[in-house]
Amino acid sequence: LRNVLRVWMVSADSVKLIPYSHKMLTENWFEKQLPQQLVTIQVFQTPIWRWMALFGAVIVLWLLVSALSLTLTTILRSKSFTPLLRGPFRLMLVSIGFRLAIELAPPSSIPRLFLERFDGVAFSVAVAWMVGLLVDILAERWHSHLDPRVQAISYSILPLGKQILKAAIYLVVLLSVLNAWGISISTL
C-alpha cells in the first residue's frame, strides 16, 4: 500500500487558505480591478459583472449597428431595396457581435447554452428574413418585366410561387435550427 498511494499532509492553517488561493487562480486581471461585489455576487453561477457586460454589449451593439445600417442606407440611396434590408442586416450584425461578447464575458455553462441558442435563432431568423426580402424584390422585378398580355396569369401564379418559396425558406431555417440543437429531424 505504501508504494501505490501517496498522501499529502496539509496543515489546518493551509486548509483555511484554499478558498483564497482558488480565488487568486480563477480571477483574471480584469476581475481583480472590479469592486468585489460585482465579482462575488452571482446569478445562475455567473458573476453579476458578466451579465452587466453582456447587457451593455447588446445596447452598444444595437446603437452601433443602427448607425451603420442607416449610413449604408444613405450611401446606397440609389438602390430602392436597401431600406428593406436594414432590419435583417441590423439583426444579423447584432447577433454576430453578441456571439463575440459571449466569448469575451462568458457566463457559466447552462446560461451560455441558452444564450448561444437564442443567438443562433436570432441569426437564423435574420438570414431567413433577408432571403425572404430578396425573394420579394426578385419577384417584383420579374413581374415588372413580364409581357402585359400574360400579366393576368402572373397575378395569380407569381404571388403563390413567392409565398411557397418563402415558406420553404423558413421551414429549412427552422429545421436547421432544430438540427443544431440536437433534435432529430429525420423522422419529420
Side-chain angles (χ1 to χ4, degrees):
L1 201 93
R2 275 187 174 156
N3 295 335
V4 178
L5 295 177
R6 294 185 183 206
V7 179
W8 285 25
M9 300 288 274
V10 180
S11 69
D13 295 334
S14 298
V15 171
K16 294 176 187 174
L17 298 175
I18 290 176
Y20 298 111
S21 62
H22 180 272
K23 188 173 98 175
M24 289 178 62
L25 291 174
T26 57
E27 283 185 358
N28 59 24
W29 65 271
F30 183 71
E31 289 177 332
K32 290 178 183 174
Q33 306 300 321
L34 292 174
Q36 198 60 34
Q37 293 83 7
L38 294 178
V39 178
T40 56
I41 297 173
Q42 294 186 350
V43 177
F44 297 117
Q45 298 178 345
T46 302
I48 196 79
W49 78 266
R50 292 185 184 193
W51 290 112
M52 292 169 61
L54 290 173
F55 185 71
V58 168
I59 293 172
V60 169
L61 282 168
W62 189 259
L63 293 173
L64 286 175
V65 168
S66 296
L68 178 67
S69 66
L70 188 63
T71 304
L72 285 176
T73 304
T74 55
I75 290 173
L76 300 173
R77 188 172 290 210
S78 63
K79 305 293 184 193
S80 61
F81 60 86
T82 52
L84 294 174
L85 297 177
R86 189 182 326 166
F89 180 70
R90 183 184 309 156
L91 183 60
M92 189 181 300
L93 288 180
V94 167
S95 175
I96 292 169
F98 185 65
R99 177 72 177 142
L100 293 173
I102 289 175
E103 293 299 322
L104 292 175
S108 63
S109 59
I110 292 176
R112 182 181 179 124
L113 173 71
F114 287 108
L115 288 174
E116 286 175 347
R117 284 185 175 181
F118 175 76
D119 188 52
V121 168
F123 184 79
S124 299
V125 165
V127 169
W129 186 8
M130 187 173 288
V131 172
L133 288 173
L134 290 175
V135 166
D136 286 340
I137 292 166
L138 290 175
E140 283 189 34
R141 286 190 181 211
W142 186 25
H143 187 282
S144 67
H145 289 13
L146 285 176
D147 186 14
R149 291 172 286 178
V150 293
Q151 262 187 346
I153 295 172
S154 68
Y155 279 121
S156 60
I157 304 263
L158 190 60
L160 177 65
K162 181 175 72 169
Q163 293 303 326
I164 289 173
L165 184 59
K166 287 170 65 175
I169 290 167
Y170 287 118
L171 183 64
V172 165
V173 167
L174 173 69
L175 291 176
S176 67
V177 166
L178 291 176
N179 188 30
W181 287 358
I183 298 172
S184 176
I185 59 171
S186 60
T187 57
L188 297 178

